[in-house]
Amino acid sequence: MPQRPEGLRRPVRAGRALLAIPIAWIVAVSVIDDLAPPNIHLGALLVAAPAITPLFGGPWSVGLIAALAVIAQTAIGVLRDPEQLLSSNDQAQIIALVLVGTALVIFCVVRERRAKVLAQVRYVSEAAQRVVLPPLPKEIGPLRVASLYLAAEAEAQIGGDLYAATRTTSGTRLIVGDVQGKGMTAVNDAALLLGAFRIAAHRPASLGELVTYLDQSVCWDLTEPGETGRYGETFITATILDIPDHGGLVQMVACGHPPPIVQRNGRPTTMDTLHPAPPLGLGELAHPRYHVDSFQFEPGDLLLLYTDGVTEARDSTGTFYPLAERITGWTENDPDAFLDRLRRDLLHHVGGHLNDDAAMIVIERTATPRA
């Protein structure tokens, strides 16, 4: 927050410096018109000065330039024919400058009001995201963690991708998911699932029991008491992990979500599930039995969790981002450094703008658990 005023001062200073352009244009047109033959009238070109000012100035700047243009046009008319003062042509050009200047000032006022509203919306959306989806702690037990959320909509930094972590008596449970759809409905569904996960994940229940509970929670706000007929109206792909503190296999239930990747010595290995489950919210329709898969995650390894906004990101030719191929050979062992490189590489692939929200988590297991 302290940096915001300074960030705003730089554009204001730049805009004031650029005011020299329309002022120089007014002076140049006035001088050339005065030196030109009597049959050549350049006063109409003065309208260009207030017309370009909104590109870098606000209503006060536009009003000032418009007033200078009117004064210049009046001076041109008086100097050309001191006895007649202002011809009908000069009067028409002055009226045109006044009308154009007034319209441009009104435009700038409306633009600034809308910019303030947009800035407030961005501020509220960022605050809401931090409440619904706060960044994961840098350290969770023996795990070092880096997390990142990239929203496709620049105007609202919040969407339907989600992640969370909870400590248990023997390890850490994590969830990463992606809500069907977009907008505030997706945000509401994500908040509902995250709340259910934070309530239940620390309890002494198996991973399968936890996923069953989460599957039912997706439809809590869709059903009346005793009603079961509205399942399937929304669903969330998710991967739920149980990472033990003292070594051992990581347990995983994948519900229609992209598989995690373990990076070991620069070589990525995709942890495909042998028993895939349907997305959360469809369990009542599919009646699944949640099978738990497992894989090795050793000290020094990096575990990458992500949403389909990463793997389905396209470049200008429509080619998907080849995640495993791109990270092959990366030797960064620090989660923050690895995630920063992944972010830059992903945005370079898509040309700087994602078409879908993307969430990424990079986890490193340290050699010994931390207190």
Side-chain angles (χ1 to χ4, degrees), residues 16-59:
R16 290 175 179 172
L18 290 173
L19 285 178
I21 297 175
I23 292 175
W25 178 260
I26 291 174
V27 172
V29 170
S30 301
V31 172
I32 295 174
D33 188 274
D34 183 59
L35 298 177
N39 61 324
I40 296 178
H41 300 276
L42 302 179
L45 297 177
L46 291 172
V47 74
I52 65 172
T53 305
L55 295 175
F56 46 80

Side-chain angles (χ1 to χ4, degrees), residues 7 19 61 77 87 90 92 125 138 222 254 283 293 322-323 348 365-366:
L19 285 178
S61 298
S87 65
D90 293 326
S125 68
K138 294 293 185 181
L222 297 178
D293 293 282
L323 177 58
H348 175 75
R365 183 198 290 278
T366 57

Side-chain angles (χ1 to χ4, degrees), residues 173 203-212 242 251 292:
R173 281 180 170 170
R203 295 177 178 175
S206 69
L207 202 58
E209 291 171 335
L210 172 62
V211 177
T212 300
D242 197 345
Q251 294 185 327
V292 178

Side-chain angles (χ1 to χ4, degrees), residues 6-16 56:
E6 181 62 28
L8 291 175
R9 290 191 195 103
R10 285 193 290 269
V12 171
R13 292 170 183 169
R16 290 175 179 172
F56 46 80

Side-chain angles (χ1 to χ4, degrees), residues 176-256:
V176 57
D178 186 3
V179 180
Q180 168 213 18
K182 297 182 180 294
M184 292 308 300
T185 301
V187 175
N188 177 71
D189 294 337
L192 183 65
L193 180 62
L194 288 172
F197 176 80
R198 289 166 182 147
I199 291 173
H202 68 280
R203 295 177 178 175
S206 69
L207 202 58
E209 291 171 335
L210 172 62
V211 177
T212 300
Y213 176 81
L214 296 178
D215 176 77
Q216 296 170 353
S217 73
V218 172
C219 299
W220 279 346
D221 63 342
L222 297 178
T223 57
E224 298 293 336
E227 180 186 11
T228 60
R230 299 185 67 186
Y231 284 92
E233 293 191 11
T234 187
F235 62 85
I236 303 173
T237 66
T239 295
I240 300 92
L241 300 171
D242 197 345
I243 306 177
D245 283 346
H246 300 279
L249 298 175
V250 174
Q251 294 185 327
M252 171 181 70
V253 175
C255 301

